[in-house]
Amino acid sequence: VFVANRQARTATEAGFQETARAHSVAVDQEVRVAIAALRILASSDHMQADDLKTFEREARASLTNQTDWENLVLFSPTGQGVLNFHLPPGGPLPRSTRPELIDRVVRSRGPAVSGLFRAPVRGTPLVEVAVPVLQAGAVKYILSAYLSSNAIVRILAQQRMPAEGVASLLDQDRIVIARTWLPEQFVGRQAPPE
């Protein structure tokens, strides 16, 4: 009986590990897709020509196709907002609330992903994906997409999960980004120690 229990437990644990890998791959794929879409926008002819008015029209059209993106924002390398698709054009734009992410993109000249944070106005849990806009080899802007944590919950839910299992995704600070069971109670909270 003891050996059978241990074998059943080992098989269950192996199944959970495989499911965790599948969740990780699915979420990583979603982030890679966001990075690829942002890079396409960042390298557009209008962006490269610094024609921000035409770029804004182009990007707004792109944003309608990205149903999991809550917003798209263009920042200067200092973190000052240049374009924000939730705010009317021509008005004052706020600085980034995640200057460390902006600094990381500028220093590395590569993409970066934030941990979970709440949108300042709506309070929506989001994850920021940012890429540099390079012109003549230098970082001219940072283009950021804000992914809804609900989109990540949907990705987790699409994976096969044992009936008794719960999947959670944590950021680098052990804050729950997404969870398949009762996300409204857990997203944005610190995960308990293991």
Side-chain angles (χ1 to χ4, degrees):
V1 172
F2 178 72
V3 172
N5 261 351
R6 188 177 343 170
Q7 288 172 339
R9 182 179 175 169
T10 301
T12 300
E13 287 174 358
F16 282 138
Q17 287 177 348
E18 190 56 39
T19 301
R21 275 190 220 99
H23 284 126
S24 177
V25 167
V27 171
D28 285 350
Q29 179 62 25
E30 184 68 22
V31 170
R32 281 194 297 273
V33 166
I35 289 170
L38 286 169
R39 282 181 166 159
I40 288 168
L41 286 170
S43 64
S44 76
D45 292 340
H46 303 297
M47 177 58 78
Q48 292 302 306
D50 227 4
D51 179 0
L52 296 183
K53 197 171 215 170
T54 306
F55 170 77
E56 183 176 9
R57 281 195 307 272
E58 175 183 62
R60 280 189 190 278
S62 176
L63 189 57
T64 62
N65 295 326
Q66 300 294 338
T67 57
D68 293 335
W69 293 9
E70 292 285 320
N71 196 9
L72 190 63
V73 178
L74 185 68
F75 293 104
S76 74
T78 63
Q80 177 60 51
V82 177
L83 292 173
N84 183 319
F85 293 83
H86 273 185
L87 300 176
L93 298 176
R95 296 183 61 76
S96 170
T97 57
R98 278 154 312 289
E100 69 288 345
L101 183 74
I102 299 294
D103 290 342
R104 196 170 0 138
V105 172
V106 170
R107 277 194 321 274
S108 70
R109 296 175 22 159
V113 180
S114 76
L116 186 80
F117 66 96
R118 294 215 176 257
V121 176
R122 293 181 176 171
T124 311
L126 303 171
V127 173
E128 182 176 355
V129 179
V131 301
V133 177
L134 300 173
Q135 290 181 356
V139 177
K140 174 77 176 187
Y141 302 109
I142 293 86
L143 184 59
S144 291
Y146 295 84
L147 281 72
S148 159
S149 76
N150 290 335
I152 298 170
V153 169
R154 279 194 305 278
I155 293 166
L156 293 179
Q158 289 170 357
Q159 305 303 307
R160 286 181 291 189
M161 188 74 189
E164 69 279 6
V166 175
S168 295
L169 178 67
L170 309 179
D171 71 10
Q172 66 273 15
D173 297 321
R174 296 191 49 79
I175 303 296
V176 178
I177 294 174
R179 185 178 164 100
T180 56
W181 183 66
L182 298 174
E184 63 282 351
Q185 290 182 17
F186 292 95
V187 169
R189 297 185 188 270
Q190 184 88 31
E194 292 183 34

